[in-house]
């Protein structure tokens, strides 16, 4: 009879907790906050920007969950509502007009969200991986190569989502592909503007 106890190693547990430490809402908040600072918005402007682009859609997404479940409505409708709210936020950023990089960043976030809505019809693409991948690429591009070490967060998040059994490898890789594709669209738009 064996008395060996199999325990997960501390690094494995830390890696698995990556998605709990860096949820998409937090990553999006930091990203929009940084875009607001880079554009030269004051504190009130940054707070309004974060509230409009991340806060309100996030509260509606999370807050409407019990209502949707009680009424038997599909969760995909909540995601669609958030996509519409992000579209409205994107249009407002262009109409005001806000300084770069805000409009293109918000437009890219909308594009990523719309991609999630579209691709989740066939595959549960990881929003965690998509958001962190876009975010680390954006921060590295905006702030320089000294921030390239953040690129390790994308594979770490993929590992985390798979270890926690929230996603398969295919779904995690699809999230990374969506994040990279969204960032490429952002770069193309930046080059043209």
């Amino acid at each position: 009879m064996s008395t060996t106890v199999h325990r997960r190693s501390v690094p494995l547990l830390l890696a698995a907790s990556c998605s709990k430490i860096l949820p998409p809402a937090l990553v999006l908040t930091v990203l929009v906050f940084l875009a607001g600072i880079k554009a030269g918005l004051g504190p009130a402007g940054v707070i309004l920007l974060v509230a409009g682009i991340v806060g309100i859609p996030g509260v509606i997404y999370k807050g409407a969950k019990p209502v949707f479940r009680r009424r038997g409505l599909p969760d995909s409708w909540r995601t669609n509502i958030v996509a519409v709210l992000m579209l409205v936020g994107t249009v407002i950023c262009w109409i005001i007009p806000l300084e770069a990089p805000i409009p293109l960043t918000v437009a890219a976030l909308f594009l990523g969200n719309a991609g999630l809505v579209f691709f989740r019809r066939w595959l549960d693409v990881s929003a965690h991986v998509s958001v962190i991948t876009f975010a680390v690429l954006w921060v590295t591009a905006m702030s320089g190569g000294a921030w390239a070490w953040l690129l390790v967060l994308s594979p770490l998040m993929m590992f985390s989502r798979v270890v926690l059994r929230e996603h398969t490898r295919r779904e995690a890789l699809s999230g990374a592909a969506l994040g990279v594709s969204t960032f490429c669209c952002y770069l193309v738009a930046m080059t043209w503007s």
Side-chain angles (χ1 to χ4, degrees):
M1 182 168 189
S2 174
T3 58
T4 304
V5 176
H6 296 283
R7 294 186 183 149
R8 287 188 169 176
S9 67
V10 172
L12 184 64
L13 288 173
L14 288 174
S17 63
C18 179
S19 60
K20 292 180 182 344
I21 296 168
L22 295 170
L26 175 63
V27 174
L28 289 172
T29 299
V30 170
L31 191 63
V32 172
F33 180 83
L34 291 173
I37 290 173
K38 189 135 183 94
L41 292 181
V46 171
I47 290 169
L48 281 172
L49 180 67
V50 169
I53 300 302
V54 181
I56 293 169
V59 167
I60 290 173
Y61 181 76
K62 291 291 185 182
K65 189 174 191 173
V67 175
F68 274 63
R69 295 263 165 94
R70 229 176 319 165
R71 297 179 189 236
L73 299 171
D75 278 344
S76 62
W77 287 12
R78 289 184 308 126
T79 309
N80 294 345
I81 290 169
V82 170
V84 168
L85 290 173
M86 287 197 73
L87 175 61
V88 169
T90 301
V91 169
I92 290 171
C93 286
W94 286 95
I95 289 174
I96 289 180
L98 294 175
E99 294 292 321
I102 295 171
L104 290 177
T105 301
V106 172
L109 296 178
F110 163 71
L111 185 63
N113 197 352
L116 283 172
V117 169
F118 180 76
F119 290 116
R120 280 190 168 172
R121 294 177 181 185
W122 302 283
L123 185 67
D124 187 22
V125 176
S126 175
H128 283 76
V129 175
S130 175
V131 169
I132 198 76
T133 301
F134 177 83
V136 298
L137 291 169
W138 187 92
V139 168
T140 302
M142 292 290 111
S143 303
W147 292 93
W149 63 270
L150 288 174
L151 295 172
V152 74
L153 292 176
S154 183
L156 192 60
M157 185 65 78
M158 285 188 274
F159 176 76
S160 175
R161 301 307 286 166
V162 172
V163 167
L164 292 174
R165 299 182 191 268
E166 294 292 333
H167 293 284
T168 64
R169 285 188 187 118
R170 184 175 171 207
E171 293 166 346
L173 286 169
S174 297
L178 179 59
V180 169
S181 300
T182 304
F183 181 71
C184 288
C185 291
Y186 171 79
L187 284 181
V188 168
M190 265 191 58
T191 303
W192 285 349
S193 62

